[in-house]
Amino acid sequence: MADSPLLPPAAVRGMTLLDRAAFRRPLDVCALRVPRDSITAVCRLVKAQMLRVPALRPVQQAEELEPGLAGGEAGGDAAQKVVLLDPGQVKDEDDLPWPGLRQLGLEPAASFCRLPLALTYENYRADAVLRAVLPGDQDGCTSFSRVGHLIHLNLKEHLLPYGRLIGAVLMDKHSGVRTVVNKLNTIDNTFRNFSMELLAGEPDYVVDARENGCGFRMDFSQVYWNPRLCTEHERVVALLRRGDTLLDVFAGVGPFAVPAARKGCHVLANDLNPESARWLRHNVQANKVAERVQTFNMDGREFIRTEVKRAALEFLTEKPGQAQMHAVLNLPALAIEFVDAFLGLLSPEELPEGSHLPLRAHVYTFTKELEVAEQSVRAMLNANLGRDVAEHVQEVFMVRNVAPNKLMYRITWDVPREVLCALATEPARKRPKIDE
Ligand SMILES: C[S@@+](CC[C@H](N)C(=O)[O-])C[C@H]1O[C@@H](n2cnc3c(N)ncnc32)[C@H](O)[C@@H]1O
């Protein structure tokens, strides 16, 4: 494919230290000199042919471009504007719609001109800069997430030598970004946080994020936070009603808990990571919902066996009308194995036959069985409970595509009495193979 004159010069390919000056590229463009009072109508006519690059206005005062006006006795005329045209679309005057332009009083001889400009680093978007610099045949360089003032990347091996350059470009091109990091490990440690390498900017990892109308502050290097879950958080919070109780077993820094409390739910929120629990408490205070939220810092199974049980007994005693209890278990790699903590949570005396605890669980999991994803999720739940709860499942929802061969699902089910009052000794079976 021919090199577009609007892309950075070929010489920047392979650069590993950002040299902004090397991006300067001469560019000859065609232009129209237009009397000030016709400019709106002319722009309407040539809209699709105007030059569009970042940090360069396609319509300028003629005097702003001086002394660049080629053949231009009109250069420097304050009564005139100049419309810059895209060199890919307008190579000479024949490419312009003269019948319409003539009606507006323009003539080729007086209005058409050529200007010697130059594009610089400022005139390229981050993706154009990176595409020009990085090895041409490989991809995956520009996908990143932003949390507050911080951008985080997951650089593939072959791009590691370009890490500092990529960091510098992203910081230049995204206003408000002060820190760019590369995540060093996959997110498989207990607390789901990353170790990270600073690529550009300050080593300041305490970030402020907003989600679902609430503010969240956290040390991004110590806790889990994923902006891609925003919609799912919102979806689940939308299922809750004022007066409901939310039992957030793996709460992180509070993206379910805080908005739910803002909505008027009572919340018990837990996380094993002391740093998550600390920022969770901070966010609860900062969002002024402390009176409706209790926070805990313990293992999720223990939280279910003690705090969820206590909340369930209180609920059964108080019977608060139409209210519902919701347990959220968002630790997709493991949460499905924690559902056995609901087995035998209550004794038959605490939940006598015929009585009902309205407890709905929202459990997240990954599946790699793409062809039979929903069945595999249902089967995992049944296997970990040691029984078939199909009739209690409300929804099996595909949350997102985590990797080409990995999906994140939520299974929402009402925890039945047969689970809550199961004999504690009943073993949960291991995960079955899906072969239908
Ligand atoms: C995937 S994150 C989800 C955080 C938050 N709920 C969200 O949606 O962003 C899982 C959380 O579980 C916590 N965690 C990991 N193992 C745990 C355990 N055994 N008990 C309680 N929390 C645990 C991690 O510290 C992490 O904050």
Side-chain angles (χ1 to χ4, degrees), residues 190-192 224 229 233 248-252 255-256 270-273 276 298-300 330-332 338:
T190 304
F191 296 151
R192 266 61 198 166
Y224 178 90
L229 288 180
H233 294 145
D248 194 351
V249 182
F250 307 106
F256 289 114
N270 172 65
D271 201 284
L272 182 62
N273 179 353
S276 291
M298 61 174 83
D299 173 67
N330 182 16
L331 175 61
F338 280 67

Side-chain angles (χ1 to χ4, degrees), residues 335-351:
I336 201 99
E337 294 178 16
F338 280 67
V339 296
D340 63 4
F342 291 108
L343 287 168
L345 190 66
L346 301 175
S347 67
E349 294 73 40
E350 288 164 333
L351 188 61

Side-chain angles (χ1 to χ4, degrees), residues 268 294 296 304-315:
L268 277 65
Q294 286 176 269
F296 302 88
I304 295 172
R305 307 294 303 181
T306 56
E307 298 306 325
V308 171
K309 174 173 175 130
R310 189 176 54 74
L313 290 174
E314 272 174 31
F315 202 92

